[in-house]
Amino acid sequence: MGSQSSHIDFALIGHQDSWKKITGFIEFLTKGKRKLTESQAAEVYSFIPPRAVFDIEVRSITGQTVRGSYIETFISPDELGLRYWKRNMFKVQEAAACARQLNAAVATLGGFTSIVLEGRDDSLNDGSYTKFTTGNTLTAAFIVRNLEKACRRFGKELGDQQLLVIGATGDIGSACLEYFSRKVKKVLLCARQQVILDALAAKLQRQGIAAQASTDIRQLLPQADLVIAIASSTIENFVPELCKKDIIICDAGYPKNLVFDLKGYFSDRLFSGGMGQVQGGYSFTPEIHHSFYHFPVECVGHGCLQEAVILAFENMHEPFSTGKGNITLEKMDRIYALANKHGIRESPLFNPLMAWD
Ligand SMILES: NC(=O)c1ccc[n+]([C@@H]2O[C@H](COP(=O)([O-])OP(=O)(O)OC[C@H]3O[C@@H](n4cnc5c(N)ncnc54)[C@H](OP(=O)(O)O)[C@@H]3O)[C@@H](O)[C@H]2O)c1
């Protein structure tokens, strides 16, 4: 089954997060005939229309197999900001049209592609056969499970920890907060828009939760024992020197939120969050794995993409995660249990430099 078939189980809509990956990707697309430098790639990349570029087969531990396609939006990693919002929105809508054309039963908006629609991804669920999900519920479930795992590894009791969430008012950030706010000693909230942030802090305080908010991360960093970085843009003013020595950091942004050199800081205390590992394995046709989708541990992938795979395994052709602020703890538990049923679990802890586990 592939892009020529009349029906596929799922479609994954995504974008690349670095020019290094994109040059490998272009080489793959041109079957090795074109090797572009990063600056040459930057000149042409965002003019390529969204399209399906390879097929994927994912195997469950139950013995089931589902098949789908990866649709690349060709959104430039340098153009994720507000300035390019209109252009990116068209690209996501064109990519969604590709998913409909392929008759995908369920399609997911990986990483930045759901942010572009600013919570209006319900508009994609217009009654057509293909149902769209953001994939954010499984992403949040993997983030919180992996942070708990990291705490156990370092002997940290959650009740003694102060948790900083960068991107606290976002879809995934607020779900992580909901999960941890009654488990940790205090929550520290960071985002750029003061009014929304203050409203969130006040809401938590009314519920008896110790909460402090600031748009200036430097005010919060010295207090943080745990960090979840889940913002929709790079955190330029994250100052590693302000952090406690035994801090644990989960960077779940795509592209990564934190850009300091890991070699100098926290290489064994910072992990890539929101990732799941597929025990049954997956394969790509044509084989592109080594060109761009590789990690220091086997068979891992983004939770947002894996959510569509789980829905396909379960024949749940529905918009499971939509809009902003609709993720509940019940939904996180439900999708996490279904993922586990199919052998998809939170990934072993790793970062771009090394695997921890
Ligand atoms: N690992 C995975 O599998 C996976 C899956 C899905 C998404 N993601 C990534 O997760 C991130 C968040 O996604 P989302 O859907 O939750 O986005 P979202 O709903 O748009 O939320 C983004 C949050 O980040 C805040 N923010 C943005 N820039 C900031 C900055 N420089 N400093 C502090 N706060 C900032 C926003 O608030 P303000 O606007 O007020 O700043 C908001 O609270 C994105 O990077 C996305 O690509 C990862």
Side-chain angles (χ1 to χ4, degrees):
M1 191 180 293
S3 53
Q4 302 303 309
S5 68
S6 59
H7 165 272
I8 56 174
D9 299 314
F10 64 87
L12 314 180
I13 295 174
H15 63 102
Q16 303 307 310
D17 63 348
S18 72
W19 288 109
K20 187 167 177 253
K21 272 193 206 164
I22 285 172
T23 51
F25 193 51
I26 291 179
E27 206 177 318
F28 158 81
L29 290 174
T30 58
K31 301 191 170 60
K33 287 185 198 130
R34 296 291 299 271
K35 284 191 182 159
L36 299 186
T37 62
E38 292 184 15
S39 60
Q40 286 169 329
E43 278 175 35
V44 296
Y45 191 71
S46 62
F47 293 102
I48 306 173
R51 62 186 167 109
V53 287
F54 57 88
D55 295 336
I56 308 164
E57 183 179 286
V58 187
R59 296 170 288 278
S60 164
I61 52 171
T62 64
Q64 285 168 265
T65 297
V66 284
R67 296 177 179 87
S69 294
Y70 174 76
I71 298 167
E72 174 61 45
T73 50
F74 295 98
I75 288 175
S76 158
D78 296 341
E79 296 178 356
L80 301 181
L82 263 184
R83 233 177 106 197
Y84 306 95
W85 173 79
K86 202 166 179 185
R87 179 176 176 168
N88 290 338
M89 194 181 70
F90 282 129
K91 289 208 146 215
V92 173
Q93 285 171 337
E94 276 182 72
C98 293
R100 290 194 193 98
Q101 227 164 23
L102 291 168
N103 275 327
V106 61
T108 188
L109 298 164
F112 177 74
T113 59
S114 66
I115 295 168
V116 176
L117 298 181
E118 294 194 314
R120 278 177 282 138
D121 37 353
D122 274 341
S123 63
L124 294 181
N125 289 304
D126 58 0
S128 58
Y129 173 71
T130 303
K131 299 293 179 283
F132 292 86
T133 186
T134 63
N136 283 351
T137 311
L138 187 60
T139 302
F142 283 156
I143 290 171
V144 300
R145 291 321 194 287
N146 256 347
L147 188 58
E148 287 179 329
K149 185 157 100 178
C151 285
R152 285 195 295 277
R153 182 190 166 107
F154 288 108
K156 280 178 177 266
E157 286 294 329
L158 273 182
D160 300 332
Q161 311 303 313
Q162 309 209 93
L163 167 68
L164 167 61
V165 180
I166 311 170
T169 54
D171 192 37
I172 305 172
S174 53
C176 294
L177 260 180
E178 177 69 14
Y179 183 89
F180 280 119
S181 58
R182 286 177 187 78
K183 294 184 164 81
V184 296
K185 186 162 91 183
K186 182 176 178 185
V187 288
L188 309 164
L189 320 172
C190 183
R192 293 165 304 183
Q193 299 176 74
Q194 183 92 53
V195 176
I196 305 174
L197 193 59
D198 288 346
L200 174 64
K203 186 179 132 200
L204 292 170
Q205 285 157 0
R206 279 196 301 277
Q207 294 168 4
I209 292 160
Q212 181 182 341
S214 177
T215 53
D216 183 358
I217 193 173
R218 288 166 301 185
Q219 286 190 2
L220 303 173
L221 268 184
Q223 301 178 57
D225 302 296
L226 310 173
V227 176
I228 297 175
I230 188 69
S232 50
S233 70
T234 303
I235 312 300
E236 304 288 356
N237 53 355
F238 187 102
V239 185
E241 286 81 3
L242 290 178
C243 296
K244 293 184 181 179
K245 292 271 176 296
D246 64 346
I247 196 167
I248 298 177
I249 304 172
C250 164
D251 185 350
Y254 183 84
K256 291 279 154 249
N257 279 179
L258 306 178
V259 288
F260 55 80
D261 184 4
L262 257 187
K263 280 188 190 127
Y265 303 94
F266 319 124
S267 56
D268 58 348
R269 302 192 82 92
L270 182 149
F271 66 90
S272 301
M275 311 295 290
Q277 187 173 45
V278 185
Q279 279 179 292
Y282 57 76
S283 46
F284 299 145
T285 310
E287 175 51 70
I288 186 174
H289 200 247
H290 297 294
S291 314
F292 88 123
Y293 205 61
H294 43 81
F295 300 99
V297 284
E298 288 296 302
C299 285
V300 297
H302 291 84
C304 53
L305 303 183
Q306 291 168 349
E307 185 172 297
V309 171
I310 307 301
L311 297 176
F313 275 135
E314 287 293 309
N315 282 314
M316 285 168 63
H317 302 154
E318 59 181 79
F320 190 81
S321 311
T322 56
K324 245 187 211 201
N326 300 325
I327 300 174
T328 61
L329 297 184
E330 292 72 26
K331 283 188 103 172
M332 279 164 69
D333 282 348
R334 181 159 174 232
I335 196 76
Y336 180 74
L338 291 174
N340 282 199
K341 171 181 163 189
H342 293 285
I344 302 183
R345 295 172 196 284
E346 63 274 24
S347 69
L349 299 170
F350 72 92
N351 60 44
L353 285 184
M354 59 183 260
W356 288 18
D357 285 353

